[in-house]
Structure formats: C-alpha cells, structure tokens
C-alpha cells in the first residue's frame, strides 16, 4: 500500500453503507470517505418504518445518525446525490459531471420496490410502495383520511402494510396471489397460523386473487377489482411485490450481476477494488457453501463491516449466520436463521407444531448439517443461540438425532 491517504467511495448510506464508513474510519484514521445517498436523509432505521407507520415511534426516533456524527468521524456525506456512473479503469465515481476518485468503492445500493403492474395504477395519487421514509410519511397521511385500505402481495412488505393498516383502525383487505403468505418459505400449517393471526386482527385475507384492474376517479383509485370477481372499495392501496436491485450504477464496469451484485466471501466483486454489500449483494456464504442474496438488517451491517476491513487492505471473510425476526400481527413472531427452502432446493425438514400455543418449529437439513431454522412463536434465547452455533459449526447430525434438536427452544 502506498503512503498517501487512501480514498474510499460508498454508494448508498443504508445500514450496509454507513456501517462500512464507520468501520473504515476505525481501520484507517487518515483516509478520506465519501458517502452518497440519493435520499435526503442520513441513515435511518428502515426496519422501524412499520412501527412509524403504526404511529408507535416518531420520525426523530427512526433517524439513527445526524450531521454531527458524520462530521465527528470526518465522513463526507452527500445527501440527495445519485452516483450515476463508475469508471472502473480510472477508479472514479461520478455524480452528475463531478468525479470522485477512489482506491476502493462499496456499492450498497439496496433495491427499489416494484410498482403495481395493474391497469389504473400508474400516476394514481393513493397507490404506494413501502421502502423509504418518504413512502412512510405519504401513506401515514393518506391513512388519516381513509376508511378502507388494501395491501397487495405475498411478501413481508405486503404483510407489514396490512398490519399497519389494521393497527390504524382502517378496514383492511390483503390480496395475495398464492395460497398463503411467504409461500416459498412457509408450509401449509405455518401459513394457516399466520392466517389465524391476520384474522384475529380483523384483516380480510383474500388468497388466490390477483388485481385485475383499478377503478379511478379524479386521479385516485376508488376500487380494486380482482380476477376472482371481488370488488373492494379502496382509499389507500399498498403494494408489496418485491424489489428490483439497484445495479445500474455498475453498467459498463465489467462487474458481474446475477440476482444481485456477485461477490466473494470478502465481499469483493470480480473487478478489483469494487465491493458490494447488503440487499444489493449476491454474496458467497461459506457456511451454506453457496451464493445468494439476503435482504435483512443484520446481514447489511455484517456486510458493511467485512467489506470495510477488506477495502482497507485486510483479509476478513464473511462468517455470519443470517438472522431475521419480525412481529406477525400483535400476538405472533416469526424468526428465521440460516437458509430455508426459498434459498436452496432439496433441504430435508423436521417440524413440531403446537397450534394451541401458537408454536411452529421447522429445522432444515442439508447433507446432514443443520442449514436453517424457521420459528413462529417466541423461543428461549439460549436455544436460538444453539441453533446458530450448530449452523455455523457445520457439524453433522444423524437423521435419528434431528427430532431431538426441535427441543432446543421451549414449546
Ligand atoms: C418496511 C421494511 C421493513 C423491514 N423489516 C425488516 C425486519 O423486520 N428485519 C430485517 O432484518 N429486515 C427488514 N427489512 C429489510 C432491511 O431493512 C434491509 O435488508 C436493509 O435495510 C438493507 O440495507 P442496505 O444498506 O443494503 O440497503 P438500503 O437500506 O436499501 O440502502 C440503500 C440506499 O442506497 C440508495 N441508492 C441506491 N442507488 C444509489 C445511487 N446510485 N447513488 C446514491 N444512492 C443510491 C438508496 O436510495 C438507499 O437509500 C425491512 C425493509 C423494509 C423496507
């Protein structure tokens, strides 16, 4: 490494990008760090947007960093500034016509939500995605004057919208194409348990239905018409139909892109000096022994840290077990460790269900190793740690032992 101060550029100031900036400052006190976001906010807690929409937390609590924090760490934060091109040969990132040279660059651009493809949606004033702070503010305002709201999609985001609508006292309809919520991750029984939780909250769930068209009046959607013939009056329409990963900034760089930006377990891409992290990265997980994308908060932070160490000339491998936990309406919780059938085909499963207690446990095995865990209902912390350690250690369990692992968390 040469003696001059190194220059780092980070595209995206979500949890991956901002964690990377913080870690870079620790690893390299003399370096310069330029952190870019096309949003007008410093880091905010994206996973706190649902509680903000439910009016359980304020905007001030959701914002995690302020200008003073960036100044103290000498992180040059560029708000509302989109990086539109990277010259990988010259190692310069461009925002408009202005160039920012780098020695190493992180792309942590996340994804943008897919818009509603339904006829009548385009340009309507009361149709929303749910990804950004500004979406949350706009939906919240609309709910103040809404009697009926409709959430569309089988993803976590559609669920979060349905839950928020119901918690705001609005008549809520949830329209899903599939036979259950998260159909590739949950089996039938787990799906029924989520359904129970939704109905207990007063949500009208419509499975096997797609939006055929939206009726409008004066630029707003007034009715959702489904392929099965339902006609639902609507004052607020929320769309949770997945993300398109923001990779365009890498066009022309030669960086490989598949479901996301392909990188190794050091988070470096095939182009030296360019790293990827968080939702945007299709990374190599040495525990699962495969590449995949994982859109979770903890994973974004873990990527930010590992990428920073390697950008600063270190040699650290990603070695985390992805973990996701979310409330499922007011009375339930869903937790996932490692991978599930959504990520890898051919996993073998054992499960234990207690409908009365609202407990569901599924353990997924791959080549006799514990690969992932899915839990509905709370479990004890020690048991959850044991699952994570078992996944990480890659220890083999004979099939005759699998059932006994179900007892590691109570219930
Ligand atoms: C409503 C909601 C609820 C969620 N709930 C949970 C949960 O309960 N648990 C959990 O683990 N995860 C949850 N997630 C997922 C989690 O928030 C994400 O996995 C995580 O925030 C991803 O962080 P990131 O840094 O990779 O990307 P992001 O947070 O998406 O940040 C990327 C940033 O880069 C900006 N950007 C993109 N392109 C450019 C460019 N060219 N130039 C400049 N800036 C650019 C984007 O606008 C954005 O600000 C939730 C997500 C949402 C939306």
């Amino acid at each position: 490494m040469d003696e001059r101060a190194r220059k780092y550029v980070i595209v995206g100031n979500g949890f991956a990008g901002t964690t990377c900036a913080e870690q870079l400052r620790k690893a390299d006190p003399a370096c310069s760090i330029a952190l870019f976001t096309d949003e007008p906010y410093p880091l905010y807690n994206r996973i706190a947007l649902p509680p903000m929409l439910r009016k359980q937390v304020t905007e001030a609590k959701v914002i995690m960093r302020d200008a003073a924090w960036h100044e103290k760490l000498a992180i040059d934060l560029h708000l509302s500034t989109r990086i539109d091109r990277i010259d990988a040969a010259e190692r310069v990132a461009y925002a408009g016509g202005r160039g920012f040279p780098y020695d190493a660059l992180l792309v942590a651009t996340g994804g943008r939500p897919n818009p509603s493809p339904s006829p009548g949606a385009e340009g309507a004033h009361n149709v929303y995605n749910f990804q950004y702070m500004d979406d949350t503010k706009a939906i919240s305002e609309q709910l103040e004057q809404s009697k009926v709201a409709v959430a569309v999609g089988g993803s976590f985001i559609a669920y979060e919208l349905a839950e928020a609508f119901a918690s705001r006292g609005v008549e809520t309809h949830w329209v899903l194409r599939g036979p259950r919520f998260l159909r590739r991750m949950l089996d039938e029984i787990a799906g029924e348990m989520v359904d129970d939780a939704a109905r207990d909250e007063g949500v009208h769930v419509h499975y096997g239905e797609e939006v055929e068209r939206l009726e409008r009046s004066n630029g707003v959607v007034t009715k959702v018409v489904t392929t099965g013939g339902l006609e639902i009056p609507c004052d607020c329409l929320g769309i949770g139909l997945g993300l398109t990963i923001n990779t365009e900034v890498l066009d022309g760089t030669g960086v490989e892109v598949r479901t996301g930006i392909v990188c190794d377990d050091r988070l470096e891409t095939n182009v030296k000096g360019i790293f990827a992290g968080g939702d945007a990265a299709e990374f190599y997980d040495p525990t699962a022994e495969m590449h995949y994308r994982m859109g979770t908060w903890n994973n974004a932070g873990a990527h930010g840290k590992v990428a920073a160490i390697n950008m600063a000339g270190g040699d650290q491998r990603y070695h985390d077990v992805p973990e996701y936990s979310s409330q499922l309406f007011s009375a339930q919780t869903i937790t996932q460790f490692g991978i599930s059938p959504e990520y890898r085909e051919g996993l073998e499963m054992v499960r234990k269900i207690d409908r009365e207690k609202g407990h569901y446990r599924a353990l997924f095995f791959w080549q006799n190793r514990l690969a992932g865990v899915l839990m509905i209902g709370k479990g004890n912390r020690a048991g959850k740690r044991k699952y994570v350690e078992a996944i990480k250690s890659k220890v083999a369990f004979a099939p005759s032992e699998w059932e006994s692992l179900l007892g590691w968390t109570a219930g």
Side-chain angles (χ1 to χ4, degrees):
M1 221 182 284
D2 59 34
E3 290 305 307
R4 75 181 167 81
R6 278 170 68 83
K7 292 188 168 72
Y8 300 104
V9 166
I10 300 169
V11 192
N13 78 330
F15 196 41
T18 304
T19 304
C20 177
E22 185 175 13
Q23 193 69 34
L24 276 171
R25 177 54 67 226
K26 282 187 198 153
D28 187 350
C31 71
S32 78
I33 305 167
L35 176 59
F36 292 87
T37 174
D38 56 4
E39 290 190 77
Y41 305 99
L43 174 68
Y44 59 88
N45 190 343
R46 217 174 279 289
I47 73 176
L49 295 180
M52 183 175 156
L53 190 56
R54 297 195 297 265
K55 287 197 158 176
Q56 290 161 345
V57 293
T58 60
E59 177 180 347
K61 290 261 181 237
V62 176
I63 302 278
M64 294 175 70
R65 300 282 185 265
D66 58 11
W69 180 86
H70 291 85
E71 269 164 38
K72 192 168 154 221
L73 268 66
I75 296 166
D76 199 4
L77 175 65
H78 299 259
L79 297 176
S80 305
T81 308
R82 186 171 182 75
I83 294 290
D84 42 41
R85 184 168 72 86
I86 293 164
D87 184 332
E90 294 296 326
R91 296 202 177 196
V92 181
Y94 288 93
R98 193 169 163 206
F100 296 85
Y102 64 83
D103 295 290
L105 172 137
L106 176 75
V107 182
T109 45
R112 57 184 179 276
N114 296 323
S116 166
S118 307
E122 210 180 318
H125 300 307
N126 58 344
V127 179
Y128 305 93
N129 287 116
F130 187 28
Q131 175 74 11
Y132 305 109
M133 173 67 87
D134 284 344
D135 295 333
T136 314
K137 291 181 185 174
I139 303 169
S140 195
E141 214 180 295
Q142 181 65 21
L143 286 175
E144 295 293 334
Q145 39 182 327
S146 296
K147 287 200 175 68
V148 186
V150 180
V152 176
S155 67
F156 265 111
I157 296 299
Y159 149 74
E160 295 284 8
L161 284 163
E163 187 190 27
F165 294 164
S167 82
R168 294 279 293 264
V170 174
E171 180 183 320
T172 302
H173 293 261
W174 186 5
V175 176
L176 298 88
R177 185 170 57 180
R180 60 186 169 272
F181 170 57
L182 297 179
R183 67 185 158 144
R184 276 175 299 172
M185 192 163 135
L186 303 185
D187 63 19
E188 222 168 284
I189 295 177
E192 281 172 19
M193 292 173 75
V194 177
D195 190 64
D196 291 346
R199 288 181 205 272
D200 284 351
E201 220 79 355
V203 174
H204 305 272
V205 194
H206 309 286
Y207 298 104
E209 290 282 0
E210 279 186 75
V211 178
E212 187 176 272
R213 66 191 156 84
L214 302 169
E215 284 187 10
R216 277 165 73 145
S217 169
N218 294 329
V220 297
V221 168
T222 52
K223 197 185 269 180
V224 175
V225 181
T226 69
T227 44
L230 291 172
E231 296 197 8
I232 310 167
C234 176
D235 304 307
C236 177
L237 179 62
I239 304 295
L241 294 175
L243 290 178
T244 297
I245 300 304
N246 294 315
T247 61
E248 298 78 5
V249 71
L250 291 168
D251 287 354
T253 57
V255 169
E256 189 185 355
V257 173
R258 287 192 301 238
T259 64
I261 304 163
V262 180
C263 54
D264 60 19
D265 53 358
R266 298 176 66 254
L267 283 321
E268 191 162 21
T269 68
N270 58 316
V271 173
K272 239 187 146 15
I274 299 186
F275 293 72
D279 283 14
E282 185 183 320
F283 64 102
Y284 183 74
D285 174 348
T287 308
E289 296 173 16
M290 64 189 285
H291 275 90
Y292 60 95
R293 260 193 357 90
M294 170 67 65
T296 67
W297 183 258
N298 288 351
N299 197 57
H303 278 183
K305 265 191 192 154
V306 171
I309 292 166
N310 295 321
M311 288 163 76
D315 186 22
Q316 174 127 354
R317 313 264 148 183
Y318 170 90
H319 190 231
D320 257 36
V321 174
E323 191 176 327
Y324 185 95
S325 193
S326 177
Q327 201 182 309
L328 271 187
F329 299 99
S330 53
Q332 269 299 12
T333 317
I334 185 166
T335 308
Q336 191 198 339
F337 303 111
I339 56 171
S340 68
E342 195 188 350
Y343 296 88
R344 164 168 263 146
E345 279 178 20
L347 294 177
E348 293 179 85
M349 177 178 80
V350 291
R351 68 179 184 186
K352 183 177 174 187
I353 298 150
D354 185 333
R355 285 295 285 265
E356 229 150 72
K357 283 190 187 159
H359 282 161
Y360 174 96
R361 305 281 183 266
L363 306 182
F364 303 108
F365 290 85
W366 181 63
Q367 297 184 345
N368 286 353
R369 289 157 27 188
L370 185 64
V373 177
L374 183 77
M375 301 174 42
I376 295 178
K378 290 204 170 80
N380 66 64
R381 280 169 82 92
K384 290 189 203 167
R385 286 299 111 208
K386 269 176 90 169
Y387 286 139
V388 171
E389 286 314 313
I391 296 170
K392 214 173 193 171
S393 68
K394 296 186 176 187
V395 65
F397 295 95
S400 57
E401 292 177 89
W402 293 359
E403 298 265 340
S404 69
L405 272 62
L406 287 164
W408 285 2
T409 54

